[in-house]
Amino acid sequence: MVVEGGGTRTFKKKINEHYQVSLVEGSIELRKLSSPEYGLNIHSSKVTLVQSTVLPSELCPYALNRGALSCQFDGAQEITILPIHTWISKTPQDQRQVRHRFEQRLNILHLEEALADAVSTKDSICWEMLINIALEHMNVELAVKVCQHSGNVKLLTSLRALENLEEYLLLQGYILALIGDTDAAEASFMKSSKPEAALELRRDLEQWDRAIALAGELQSPLEIEISKKYALLLEKRGDYRQALSYYEQYLRTSTLDTEQRAFAKAGIARTSIRLGDIWKGKHLVIECSDPLLYRECAKILEGLNLHEDVAELYVLDGQVEKAIGIYLDMKNFPKTLSLVEKIESPKCYAKYARALEAERKLTEAAAAYVKAEDFENAVRLYLGPLRNPTEAFSIIRKARSLEGAKLASRYCKNKGDYENAIEFLVLQKRTEEARELAQQQDKMDMYTEQVADVASEEECSKLGKYYEAMGNYEKATAMFERCGNVKHALKLYQSWGTPHAMEQAINMVGRQRDEGLTNELLEFLTADLEISNKSSPNLFRLHMVLGNYEAATKAALLIAQKEQESGNYKIAHQQLLDLCKVLKREKQHVPYELSKQLMLLHSYTLVKTLIRLGDHKSCARLLIRVAKHISNFPAHVVPILISTVIECHLSGLKRTAFEYATMLMRPEYRNQITSAYKRKIESIVRKPEKTEEDETVTPCPFCKQHIPETQLECPSCRNNLPFCIASGRHLTAEGLTSCPACKFPALLVEFTRHIKAEKSCPLCHEEVALSDVTEKPFSEV
């Protein structure tokens, strides 16, 4: 036997080549030797016939080197090249010859040289053949090179992990796994130092039957994970009883975390339901609170026709609409209603309503249609079988339903209810039809009321002319204003001429803000001002509406003056107070004349309150203030002077009492003195007492100069001083408040005393709670 390149290999180095040469009946036979003992083949020891060559009988071969067979012949040496090595002495001329040489080199395991030929051919079949031979002979290094050249990234990644693997059986197992011989790979792994690799192989291939057997045999910690996946596989296969057993076994494992326990419970729930234990399965589903599990088990229960249980799970999963659909199919209306009310979905209410109507539960169906905002069907039921038109009309008016109005207008016309018929025709914007019906049935007022907000300019003009012809100026002017014919509307207001007409005209001018219209009304109101006083309030209102506060103030003063001259002090007082409040609200300056006139009127009206409180001294001082301006009170000159004399006398102001008593003795006043006071006043004049205490002084709030407390002008700083509405005195810099209603200032002590006694503001007469009275700085009041 002649062996080429004999010897063995270390495991990391390139696999050597081993051949057996035999002389058989005059022929030379060359065989490859492959044995796992030498790491040459992953399968088994074998000898493969490579070539058989006939030699002359006189030749005696003794050595073989790279295809060159050395023979002896009569003491001489002769070298013969074997046919399988002819490529050694030849150069390929084309790709076909390269491919032939590649196959020869591959056959005799010259793998490195075969790699060079494969690179030259770039043939995918060559790469595949070379990789298979390299792996078969466990030449990982060469296989890696082939993958790099061929671009087989997936296999390259796997082989990289094997490059430094020293143990033969492990390497053999991994390579067998790569080429798909799973059973042989398992056998190699089990003999190796890492038998758990066999378990990992079966697990990765999801061959759970064999994996779980290996896990038990090896007592591996992977047994839990594999049991979990095996249970899932059994469940998918439909072997629910065995799957349940594995799930329960898995749940009993003490090392499970929360997620793993939830997985086991979910599996038990699914398999229990499939095996008929519905109560147990549903209990575990609810315990897990997993949306995915809700849906899985709902689907299982649906397949078992357990619809109520399915609906319960849909509710837990938040799929309430699906649950409602199931309950409706079951005609379980109480549960349907509870769910529909919970989500308040118009779509669900509509389904519920249709189901109720189909069952002739018409009252409930109508209410559900309303909730679903399906007003047409609700109106249809109320006008039809339920015979409740009042409810139908209420729904239409509230929802403004056009379809419902269409049904209602037809119903009302048939029933002779023309007013409602007109209303619902207008709601549908069928104004022509509505007006014709209104004229036929003498219901134009009703029609106008309904159409006013939606009518076109043309429609409003027609209505204005209609009412003008009928002499109904109020409605005619309203319609003309709506259609934009404001000049004609103003002429009608002037023709109408009533106080209400003037009020409406002023409001219209204020809304229009048209200079020409304003001037026209001003001319009308001022035309007879010198002849009659009736236009003065209208002028005031017009200026207020227009925001012309200066002119409004003049008009208000004129009105107040005329009322005051007539002795209507309360009316004049209220007129001036209202104007002051408006000016303050609009952040306008309150003119001095207005403030002074209000102060005088208020001083006079405050006297009665002070008399009730027994404060005669303050009462006397206020009457002195009024008496100094007695010309502003022409209707009550004598009564005011008499009151001034009496209160001054009671308060010890003898000199002042004598002065005004002497004034009353003038011929023009003497005969007007009532007998009750005449003798007293005459006595004061005959026996004069001219002693009198000086008036109490308090500091000016601006300059702190002390001045008489009822004096409202500071001689030092020349400021007009604000007055206290509760006492008539001027304000000081401290101890102040204001009325919560009218915001006018007051001395805190005096205002509090007045509220305790009268319960209302002395100026605006609005009720005031004592708890609302708080002290404020001078800057705020």
Side-chain angles (χ1 to χ4, degrees):
M1 182 178 70
V2 181
V3 178
E4 177 182 9
T8 60
R9 59 184 277 272
T10 60
F11 202 69
K12 280 188 177 181
K13 295 180 181 178
K14 184 178 76 172
I15 299 174
N16 292 318
E17 301 161 359
H18 301 264
Y19 297 100
Q20 178 182 9
V21 181
S22 303
L23 182 61
V24 180
E25 297 179 355
S27 298
I28 291 293
E29 293 183 352
L30 180 64
R31 291 177 174 84
K32 289 187 295 186
L33 301 179
S34 300
S35 171
E37 182 182 355
Y38 302 113
L40 296 176
N41 193 284
I42 59 173
H43 294 297
S44 60
S45 300
K46 63 181 180 178
V47 177
T48 305
L49 176 63
V50 176
Q51 186 178 19
S52 177
T53 303
V54 178
L55 293 175
S57 59
E58 62 272 14
L59 294 180
C60 180
Y62 64 89
L64 178 66
N65 182 26
R66 295 186 62 80
L69 181 65
S70 299
C71 302
Q72 287 182 347
F73 174 68
D74 292 335
Q77 181 177 344
E78 184 175 336
I79 297 176
T80 300
I81 303 299
L82 298 178
I84 200 169
H85 288 77
T86 56
W87 51 268
I88 293 176
S89 58
K90 294 180 181 180
T91 301
Q93 300 300 314
D94 52 32
Q95 287 295 319
R96 184 182 60 79
Q97 293 182 0
V98 174
R99 172 67 179 269
H100 180 65
R101 185 174 69 179
F102 165 78
E103 292 173 353
Q104 287 185 333
R105 286 174 167 174
L106 200 62
N107 197 27
I108 60 174
L109 299 182
H110 285 203
L111 301 184
E112 291 290 346
E113 291 86 345
L115 174 60
D117 287 339
V119 172
S120 177
T121 60
K122 296 181 181 179
D123 188 340
S124 59
I125 297 176
C126 293
W127 295 127
E128 185 177 352
M129 293 169 61
L130 186 55
I131 288 174
N132 290 337
I133 292 296
L135 290 177
E136 183 182 352
H137 293 276
M138 301 174 67
N139 193 337
V140 176
E141 183 179 351
L142 181 65
V144 167
K145 291 179 182 179
V146 176
C147 289
Q148 288 173 334
H149 284 290
S150 64
N152 191 340
V153 179
K154 183 177 180 181
L155 182 57
L156 177 63
T157 304
S158 301
L159 291 174
R160 286 289 190 191
L162 305 179
E163 281 188 306
N164 297 318
L165 192 60
E166 292 291 332
E167 186 176 345
Y168 164 73
L169 289 172
L170 272 179
L171 180 62
Q172 183 185 41
Y174 284 123
I175 292 175
L176 287 168
L178 283 175
I179 64 176
D181 193 346
T182 308
D183 292 336
E186 179 188 322
S188 292
F189 284 138
M190 292 300 288
K191 295 175 185 177
S192 72
S193 61
K194 187 182 176 184
E196 60 269 17
L199 175 58
E200 293 171 358
L201 173 63
R202 297 294 185 180
R203 180 196 62 183
D204 294 341
L205 294 174
E206 297 186 356
Q207 296 174 354
W208 303 114
D209 294 338
R210 183 59 188 155
I212 201 165
L214 285 172
E217 182 181 340
L218 296 173
Q219 297 182 347
S220 170
L222 293 175
E223 186 174 4
I224 295 175
E225 180 188 350
I226 293 171
S227 297
K228 169 182 174 181
K229 293 185 178 180
Y230 189 47
L232 274 174
L233 177 64
L234 290 170
E235 185 180 356
K236 288 179 181 178
R237 288 176 178 173
D239 192 350
Y240 303 121
R241 195 165 299 282
Q242 191 174 356
L244 174 62
S245 174
Y246 274 104
Y247 280 128
E248 289 176 340
Q249 180 182 346
Y250 180 66
L251 184 61
R252 286 193 291 271
T253 306
S254 59
T255 57
L256 299 183
D257 57 23
T258 304
E259 185 178 350
Q260 291 170 330
R261 293 183 66 81
F263 167 82
K265 288 181 179 180
I268 294 171
R270 289 191 302 269
T271 51
S272 296
I273 291 172
R274 290 188 183 279
L275 292 170
D277 194 345
I278 308 301
W279 184 90
K280 178 181 178 181
K282 281 179 58 181
H283 177 74
L284 285 172
V285 170
I286 295 169
E287 185 179 328
C288 290
S289 299
D290 181 4
L292 178 61
L293 184 61
Y294 290 144
R295 289 189 285 274
E296 290 175 341
C297 292
K299 190 173 181 180
I300 296 169
L301 290 166
E302 194 170 4
L304 298 174
N305 292 322
L306 299 174
H307 300 297
E308 188 162 355
D309 296 312
V310 174
E312 289 179 18
L313 292 187
Y314 278 142
V315 171
L316 291 174
D317 188 33
Q319 299 187 66
V320 182
E321 290 192 18
K322 282 190 175 182
I324 289 172
I326 292 172
Y327 282 131
L328 285 175
D329 291 340
M330 297 170 62
K331 298 182 181 180
N332 189 337
F333 296 118
K335 285 195 174 182
T336 303
L337 179 60
S338 66
L339 293 180
V340 168
E341 289 177 339
K342 182 178 179 181
I343 63 173
E344 295 186 348
S345 165
K347 180 181 176 182
C348 293
Y349 268 117
K351 288 181 180 179
Y352 177 56
R354 287 193 291 270
L356 288 171
E357 186 178 1
E359 293 296 311
R360 304 303 296 168
K361 298 178 182 294
L362 300 181
T363 303
E364 295 90 338
Y369 278 129
V370 172
K371 292 280 189 180
E373 300 178 4
D374 187 352
F375 303 112
E376 180 182 2
N377 278 315
V379 170
R380 174 179 57 79
L381 290 180
Y382 279 122
L383 293 178
L386 291 177
R387 297 181 181 180
N388 189 350
T390 303
E391 186 63 27
F393 298 162
S394 175
I395 291 169
I396 296 167
R397 291 182 181 116
K398 185 176 180 181
R400 312 299 293 174
S401 169
L402 297 181
E403 293 299 325
K406 185 176 181 180
L407 295 174
S409 62
R410 189 184 306 123
Y411 174 87
C412 292
K413 286 172 73 174
N414 293 335
K415 294 291 184 180
D417 185 359
Y418 298 113
E419 288 191 0
N420 282 322
I422 291 168
E423 177 186 352
F424 296 130
L425 285 170
V426 171
L427 181 59
Q428 299 170 68
K429 298 182 180 180
R430 294 160 61 184
T431 53
E432 289 287 342
E433 186 178 346
R435 186 172 65 253
E436 289 176 6
L437 181 62
Q439 288 177 339
Q440 291 169 6
Q441 303 299 329
D442 194 21
K443 300 289 184 181
M444 283 300 291
D445 288 350
M446 172 64 189
Y447 169 74
T448 303
E449 182 181 341
Q450 294 297 326
V451 82
D453 293 332
V454 297
S456 63
E457 290 186 3
E458 182 182 358
E459 184 69 21
C460 288
S461 180
K462 289 179 181 178
L463 288 172
K465 291 175 182 178
Y466 170 82
Y467 283 113
E468 184 179 3
M470 299 295 292
N472 190 335
Y473 294 125
E474 183 172 7
K475 290 189 176 179
T477 49
M479 290 298 105
F480 281 126
E481 184 181 355
R482 284 183 180 276
C483 71
N485 194 355
V486 290
K487 288 187 177 181
H488 190 65
L490 183 58
K491 287 180 180 179
L492 286 180
Y493 278 127
Q494 293 169 355
S495 301
W496 186 7
T498 65
H500 180 66
M502 288 301 98
E503 184 179 350
Q504 294 297 320
I506 289 167
N507 291 336
M508 183 187 75
V509 170
R511 288 191 295 270
Q512 296 298 323
R513 297 287 175 175
D514 181 85
E515 186 176 352
L517 205 65
T518 302
N519 291 335
E520 186 176 343
L521 183 58
L522 278 171
E523 288 175 8
F524 176 79
L525 293 175
T526 55
D528 60 344
L529 181 60
E530 295 182 358
I531 302 172
S532 172
N533 293 331
K534 292 182 179 179
S535 294
S536 297
N538 292 328
L539 277 172
F540 168 71
R541 284 195 291 271
L542 177 60
H543 289 305
M544 288 297 291
V545 167
L546 295 173
N548 190 353
Y549 299 115
E550 184 177 353
T553 301
K554 290 179 181 179
L557 287 171
L558 181 60
I559 295 167
Q561 181 181 348
K562 293 187 179 299
E563 295 290 349
Q564 197 169 335
E565 287 174 357
S566 302
N568 300 323
Y569 304 124
K570 286 186 178 180
I571 297 174
H573 182 278
Q574 191 64 44
Q575 177 83 19
L576 298 177
L577 176 60
D578 289 344
L579 179 57
C580 285
K581 288 163 69 175
V582 170
L583 292 175
K584 284 188 174 185
R585 185 175 66 247
E586 299 295 328
K587 302 188 183 305
Q588 299 292 321
H589 172 67
V590 179
Y592 172 71
E593 285 300 322
L594 176 60
S595 180
K596 180 182 177 181
Q597 191 75 359
L598 178 61
M599 178 271 296
L600 287 173
L601 282 170
H602 184 60
S603 297
Y604 179 67
T605 57
L606 193 59
V607 167
K608 290 183 180 179
T609 303
L610 293 174
I611 290 173
R612 285 199 301 271
L613 294 175
D615 189 357
H616 294 284
K617 186 176 180 180
S618 296
C619 184
R621 292 295 181 187
L622 293 183
L623 284 169
I624 291 170
R625 177 187 290 165
V626 172
K628 287 180 180 180
H629 300 83
I630 196 65
S631 60
N632 291 331
F633 303 87
H636 295 84
V637 173
V638 173
I640 291 172
L641 292 176
I642 290 173
S643 298
T644 305
V645 171
I646 299 302
E647 290 299 323
C648 287
H649 192 74
L650 287 174
S651 303
L653 303 178
K654 308 294 186 177
R655 185 177 69 250
T656 305
F658 171 73
E659 290 175 0
Y660 286 108
T662 303
M663 186 183 296
L664 282 169
M665 289 297 103
R666 293 176 184 175
E668 64 268 27
Y669 301 136
R670 186 166 185 170
N671 292 332
Q672 299 177 39
I673 303 173
T674 60
S675 57
Y677 296 106
K678 191 170 186 179
R679 182 173 295 179
K680 177 68 174 176
I681 292 171
E682 288 176 346
S683 175
I684 291 172
V685 173
R686 290 193 191 100
K687 300 176 182 179
E689 295 182 42
K690 298 186 179 181
T691 58
E692 185 170 305
E693 295 180 2
D694 292 334
E695 185 177 357
T696 304
V697 294
T698 52
C700 167
F702 297 104
C703 66
K704 305 299 186 293
Q705 175 71 34
H706 281 73
I707 58 175
E709 60 184 0
T710 58
Q711 186 172 323
L712 298 180
E713 183 179 338
C714 178
S716 177
C717 63
R718 300 294 180 181
N719 277 314
N720 293 316
L721 307 183
F723 66 93
C724 168
I725 60 175
S727 65
R729 303 170 192 163
H730 70 74
L731 300 184
T732 58
E734 297 175 349
L736 304 177
T737 187
S738 64
C739 170
C742 65
K743 310 301 180 186
F744 274 78
L747 296 168
L748 179 61
V749 173
E750 297 297 333
F751 192 73
T752 303
R753 181 182 68 157
H754 184 93
I755 295 302
K756 286 180 179 178
E758 301 293 324
K759 311 297 183 187
S760 62
C761 171
L763 182 64
C764 65
H765 304 293
E766 293 289 335
E767 189 172 333
V768 177
L770 194 61
S771 59
D772 293 335
V773 180
T774 57
E775 185 172 0
K776 296 180 180 180
F778 180 68
S779 60
E780 289 187 17
V781 301

